[in-house]
Amino acid sequence: MLHDEISFETGGGEPPVRHLDVVSGPGGRRRWTREAKMRIIEETLRPGANVADVAGRHGLVPQQLYGWRSAVRARESEPALSFVPLALEGAPPSIASGSAAIVVETGDLTIRIPASVSADHIERVFLAARMLS
């Protein structure tokens, strides 16, 4: 046998591989749509389903499917950020040029955001505030 020749053996009396897909492209990796991933994950949640069998039917390794399931569970356990209605008390104050600000009050926390602050900085402040609550 040449050193660049590979032989495949099957165990357990299964028939030899009759069909082999070769995936080309960057890194030889397939891209799955969110819908396809969710459909495959749902298969694993059916009573009596075996993750290894579901993975095999779709050309995946069980570890990849377990990773998808973990990612979905992690996303579902995170509290969703949402908008709250704006409540104005009294007449809005006149705002001089450059002195505009947003004030966010929740519980005993008040966050004052000057107009000159970047959106990235505001996001970091809200994430830090969320971690403290």
Side-chain angles (χ1 to χ4, degrees), residues 84-118:
V84 295
L86 175 65
L88 295 177
E89 296 176 3
S94 61
I95 299 175
S97 170
S99 67
I102 298 172
V103 179
V104 178
E105 294 181 7
T106 177
D108 61 346
L109 177 65
T110 300
I111 301 173
R112 298 182 193 286
I113 305 167
S116 61
V117 175
S118 73

Side-chain angles (χ1 to χ4, degrees), residues 63-80:
Q63 295 85 345
Q64 184 176 14
L65 193 44
Y66 279 118
W68 289 357
R69 287 171 32 145
S70 295
V72 168
R73 274 195 300 274
R75 268 196 318 269
E76 290 174 352
S77 68
E78 290 180 2

